[in-house]
Amino acid sequence: MIFRQILLINVFLIKKNIYMILCLYVDDIMILYSNIQVINITKSFLSGNFNMMNLGPANVILGVKLLKNNNDFALT
């Protein structure tokens, strides 16, 4: 997988008009993308280069709770 840096340090172009967002905060990273297979490939690539732990889906981001049902997210 080749990442090309665009616009911001943590936004990567995957294909034309398709982007992956890597949110970095201190020692945490959150990967945003619509395809779980691409997320797993990215996690595998990163863990091969960095010491990482998978904490699973995010429940809280910067003190904001994330609520999820089948198709929607809510911030509280």
Side-chain angles (χ1 to χ4, degrees):
M1 178 175 286
I2 298 173
F3 292 104
R4 294 188 316 176
Q5 185 173 353
I6 61 160
L7 191 58
L8 301 172
I9 293 171
N10 57 346
V11 177
F12 297 93
L13 177 65
I14 302 299
K15 294 180 184 176
K16 185 177 180 180
N17 297 322
I18 300 174
Y19 300 92
M20 174 182 289
I21 300 172
L22 302 178
C23 298
L24 302 168
Y25 181 73
V26 185
D27 62 351
D28 293 325
I29 185 169
M30 185 169 50
I31 302 170
L32 303 168
Y33 192 70
S34 59
N35 184 318
I36 191 67
Q37 292 170 330
V38 174
I39 290 174
N40 288 334
I41 291 168
T42 303
K43 289 192 309 189
S44 177
F45 171 79
L46 292 172
S47 65
N49 292 284
F50 303 98
N51 185 16
M52 292 177 42
M53 290 178 14
N54 184 357
L55 301 177
N59 295 320
V60 177
I61 301 171
L62 299 175
V64 178
K65 291 182 183 179
L66 299 174
L67 302 175
K68 179 185 175 199
N69 65 22
N70 293 336
N71 297 314
D72 298 319
F73 283 97
L75 304 176
T76 62

